[in-house]
Amino acid sequence: MTVRRDFKEPARCRPDLVIGRDELYSEAREQLARGGSVLLHGPAGIGKSTVLRALAAENAGAAGTVLRCSATESESHLPFLALADLFGLVLDRVSARLPAAQRSALESALTGRGESTLQRDGLALRLAVLSTLRALAAEGPVLVVADDLQWLDSASAELLGFAARRLGDTPVRLLCAVRTDGEEYDRHLRACPPDTLAVRLGPFSRTQVSALLDHRGYTGLSRSTTRDIHRTSGGNPLFALELGRALAESPARPRPGEPLPVPTSLRALVLSRLEMLSDEARRTLLVASAGARPTLALLHAAGRDNAEAETAQATALGLLATDPEEPALRFAHPLISAALYAEAPARERRAVHTALSTAASDPIERARHLALAATGPDPEVAARLAEAAALARDRGAPSVAASLGLLAARHTPADGEPGPDERRLQAAEDAITAGEVDLARDIAREVLTRATVPAERVRAWMVVIEAAGQALGEVDAVFPQVLADAGDDPRLLALVHYQLAWREVVVDGDFAKSRQEAAHAAELAARGGDRRTELMALAFQSSTETLMGHPDAPVTIQRALQEPQDPDVACHHNGAAMARFRWLLMSDQLPQARTAITALLGEARRRGMVESEVHFSRLLADTELRFGHCGRALDLARESLRLARDSGIGESASAMLASLAEASGGDVERALALAREAADHAEVDGDQLYLSLALAALGYAQLVAGDAQAAARSLRRVRELEQGMGVNDPARGRWQGDLAEALVRIGEPGEAQELIDVTRVHALRLNRASVLAVLDRAEALVRAARGERQGAQTQLASAQERLGTLGYGLEEARAAFALARLRGRTPGAYDEAARLFRRCRALPWLRQVERAVAAGPAETQTAPSAAPGALDGLAAMERQVAALVMEGATNREIAGRLFISVKTVEATLTRVYRKLGIRSRVDIVRLAAGRRTP
């Protein structure tokens, strides 16, 4: 595929912003920082030039000389042109240092005078290029930046490669980019040093395409449209931008089922080879572009008798890709298919769809083609499409069902039964299930502009509310309107009060009022004969009761599980099975909880319920994390976060769980960033339900990172939020043990013990065995801080055993670690903790063990007490650090023993010096020694 010169990534792109290439960019940056060279390669439009410019801008400052060339196809036949670009402006600086023969040959090649050639002056030219680079490097590091290496004239490529292979330790780095279009990049390495790092740039994910479009100002596109752009562009950023631009400039968006408009600029890029096809072959390809999964058999059934020969011709031209094991025909790039379809006149398209409406074997596909062949309202076509939408829904393809439903609405006469708006609302509900909330909201808003029937209006309002997700505060104004529309109809009122139950807990954080609303919704639904809404309301009521520690929770769960059941509710993320899973998890029945959530996840995937899949994959990760399977949990959490960001659903919740998984088994810095992201999302949405969970994740990550002060701040706020919401079950967020540990570390054992005592009352009442064991672990730290070493060790050993029996692998390992710190003088004291953390793949915790071993034996988890009066006026953390300095501990040893960073130790010591009016560690020791009594 040829890309014209004017389709390079525009220079206005900020060089410091490389979207979607963080990992590759870091890899290339590190290679250049080591003094190595980098070759970027990939297909046209993939963003090589953008990355090249960003890397060049970042590294130019450290280079004494930057040499640049950017070749073009039209100039590739001109010998030494790239060499002239590289050396033309610097030759005068070094020519005097070149041997006469080399200088003469090089000047002749660069100026065109003397008709220098590789055949005649080969050795002199080769040595001249090498000598020039060495001479420039003698003045300072040299960076050679070469874009579009594939268009380098052969003479320049040969000379550059000769020098590159012989530079050795000379401080010359090459940063090059080359288009490969599926071919091997190895041959281009001949122009680079032997240790060059080859970095392939692949297609963007849907999330990255969305970020790119947003960055360029195309922010009005729905997620479903972004999905179509990603699919049509094949993840190519240049093609995605051109498609986004075309949509932004188009007065009308494509109708459901129709491909995206392809701008003339891109059509010219991908369709130039069509001119070499016969008219009949082009018509065959048009049929293939309209088919969902075109095969030779389908083409024959659609009347293309010579399909084999015509597709073979297209394959030879690179328009189709072949796969012997795949019967379906595949275009070499999705954009070829889209451009071919966009180029065809409307009359030809309708003829193709008419042929495919009988040729396709799948009823859903036949109905789609029938709709695209029709030109106006047609009851028969609308009925066929509605049937196809129902079939797609049953197959677990709600996105397809939504698209077919909109087509059915378009072909439904205004006086049809059911009417067009009723079919639109069904399409909107399918879009919600598929995670296409923007599309659903748009459909519902359109229906509300003309609907007068209360049932239709309430149904549309429900879609608007559902589309708001956790940001229910943004649709507060909707509730008075929808209550007015519902009137006194119990079925409609039940829908409204169910959503009000969610609003109370998400926006106001009032679990008691939320429970009342849910119970009222269940009563109204039962009175109106709406079993689905009754089951959803009962499930939500049971969930609020569980989190409140309400004694009726088990009974309400059983009511929600009674027959008759609704199959959609059974596997819904807010259904009764979900409420039962939550109860199992909080009741320490981990194996049963994992079985339940695994089954729910499988069913959600089978049915295409994207929102439920996001939540269930996150909750499976949470379950695995409680087991202590940190590696498995991390994989699941990252997948849930990717899906959440891709669909725009549950991003805050998924980021929160990903933070917990990263802090336990991955990267602590990433854990901190994700927790802050989750908290920010929840703050913006006004979502108190997830704000407390996000802050709990942040506090845990801060504790693992060694910042006990920050952890205490975050977790104290969680305590305030949950007290305000009426959440009494400590198994909900399980943050109490972390807060108690943080309080001990910062020298507040009294507050820690008070928290433990209050929490223990609720844990005993609700029989939360694992919470009680964690509280015992935290209490042992309090006792150790007060000098009760033997009692602390006994309590820790008991807590470790109980957590292991319950199956909480990571909590068991943390208890073993705390016990090891108390037994620090015993040989091999940390072996058990290290073994348990390794079994869990809890890498951040394992690194803490390694630091503790390196720091040497520790008496307790806290610093020993200083002499009375010696450190008056210091804060708790400052006293602990100062006391350890008196023992002779280094900053690194203090950091390891107090679970804080070395940087925090240094900052704390600075404050100590200022408060005590001293200048150094020695002064602390002298000050304390001077006040000690004999």
Side-chain angles (χ1 to χ4, degrees), residues 252-336:
R253 298 291 165 85
R255 295 184 299 181
E258 291 184 344
L260 295 175
V262 180
T264 304
S265 54
L266 288 185
R267 293 187 205 179
L269 293 179
V270 300
L271 298 182
S272 57
R273 281 164 284 178
L274 284 178
E275 298 173 359
M276 303 173 67
L277 284 175
S278 65
D279 290 342
E280 290 301 311
R282 183 168 181 148
R283 291 191 186 96
T284 295
L285 284 193
L286 179 60
V287 175
S289 73
R293 192 171 181 271
T295 61
L296 289 172
L298 178 67
L299 294 179
H300 280 297
R304 307 312 302 167
D305 297 334
N306 297 318
E308 286 87 352
E310 290 158 356
T311 55
Q313 185 184 1
T315 301
L317 291 171
L319 295 166
L320 293 176
T322 58
D323 185 348
E325 298 181 1
E326 176 56 57
L329 299 170
R330 182 168 59 86
F331 284 88
H333 192 281
L335 191 60
I336 297 174

Side-chain angles (χ1 to χ4, degrees), residues 53 70-71 81 89 264 311 339 378 481 538 543 563 607 666 711 723 844 861:
R53 283 196 300 271
S70 184
L81 185 61
L89 299 177
T264 304
T311 55
D378 186 322
Q481 299 178 56
L538 285 171
S543 294
E563 296 294 338
R607 289 172 170 264
Q723 286 174 347
Q861 291 237 98

Side-chain angles (χ1 to χ4, degrees), residues 915-932:
K915 288 183 179 182
L916 298 181
I918 58 179
R919 296 183 179 180
S920 68
R921 297 165 61 94
V922 175
D923 291 335
I924 293 179
V925 178
R926 287 173 178 165
L927 182 64
R931 295 189 182 182
R932 245 183 223 122

Side-chain angles (χ1 to χ4, degrees), residues 405-566:
L406 288 175
L407 285 170
R410 178 153 61 91
H411 290 286
T412 300
D415 58 351
E417 184 60 39
D421 278 347
E422 186 173 344
R423 282 178 166 152
R424 287 188 181 92
L425 288 172
Q426 179 61 65
E429 290 162 356
D430 287 330
I432 286 285
T433 302
E436 298 180 13
V437 292
D438 293 341
L439 175 61
R441 184 189 301 110
D442 291 346
I443 296 170
R445 292 285 189 188
E446 180 194 349
V447 170
L448 284 166
T449 60
R450 55 178 174 267
T452 57
V453 178
E456 284 191 354
R457 290 190 61 79
V458 171
R459 193 174 171 188
W461 284 126
M462 290 301 103
V463 171
V464 172
I465 294 170
E466 288 278 357
Q470 297 298 120
L472 284 174
E474 296 180 1
V475 292
D476 250 355
V478 164
F479 288 102
Q481 299 178 56
V482 69
L483 280 169
D485 284 334
D488 56 2
D489 187 326
R491 290 177 63 94
L492 300 182
L493 285 171
L495 293 170
V496 182
H497 283 280
Y498 173 72
Q499 294 295 347
L500 281 169
W502 275 103
R503 187 212 167 277
E504 291 299 337
V505 72
V506 171
V507 179
D508 291 342
D510 190 333
F511 272 77
K513 194 166 183 182
S514 175
R515 173 179 175 268
Q516 292 173 4
E517 288 285 4
H520 186 39
E523 179 188 340
L524 287 166
R527 196 191 315 161
D530 182 355
R531 181 61 174 164
R532 183 185 188 280
T533 302
E534 181 187 8
L535 290 171
M536 292 292 287
L538 285 171
F540 186 55
Q541 179 185 342
S542 69
S543 294
T544 59
E545 290 171 348
T546 298
L547 296 174
M548 294 170 66
H550 196 286
D552 289 350
V555 176
T556 309
I557 290 175
Q558 289 305 313
R559 287 179 61 199
L561 290 170
Q562 287 175 358
E563 296 294 338
Q565 286 291 314
D566 183 297

